[in-house]
Amino acid sequence: MSLYSPRLNRLIEALRRLPGVGPKSAQRMAFHLLDRDREAAAQLAASLGDALTGIGRCPKCRMFCEDEACRYCSDARAGHGQLCIVEGPADLMAIEQGTPYRGRYFVLMGRLSPLDGIGPDELGLPQLGALLDEGWVQELIIATNPTVEGEATAYYLAEMAKTRSLRVTRIAHGVPMGGELEYIDGGTLAHALSDRRAV
Ligand code: ZN
């Protein structure tokens, strides 16, 4: 039998599914919301429901998007001729916040991992191919993480660009091996992006 009453148990179990939240902190959060801040709890419930129904994926760049026109897929951004490929939404935000880059993006929502059943289709690479064929891309900037799978993904992307005779660069300098872009400070990331090299 569970330690908690059924509703409390469901709440704590739901909170435990968040990244980095163990049983103790889930319990603390639940008690806090129920006991100390019911208003915040109601706000959280409402905005979560609202976000789930109102936020989808941009059909062009796969970033989260809630309007018809994606803010990262504007013509002004396409005018830079650069398309930066990242593994996830947090990587896009890290580049956007920490560097002066204002070109377009493509968000893979993962990385190639055949053993986990993640291949080119799961990463939207056919969509990326269509984007590259639109004709405005002059440089493909590969900003996948410097992990084994991120490097394998980068190699695959570089091949896609080369068959279309596009310039390909890969962010390099200052990004630690095994690191993740999301956790790197803006200065390091800006340096890495400005020091990218051809692959
Ligand atoms: Zn978009």
Side-chain angles (χ1 to χ4, degrees), residues 57-65 69-74 104-105:
R57 295 268 176 80
C58 168
K60 281 195 177 282
C61 71
R62 303 199 352 138
M63 181 60 175
F64 296 124
C65 178
C70 167
R71 64 169 68 191
Y72 301 109
C73 286
S74 65
R104 290 264 300 258
Y105 292 96

Side-chain angles (χ1 to χ4, degrees), residues 94 97-99 174-176 180-192:
Q97 288 165 357
T99 80
V175 179
E180 298 201 333
L181 298 192
E182 185 184 345
Y183 300 110
I184 296 168
D185 67 275
T188 306
L189 195 56
H191 189 64

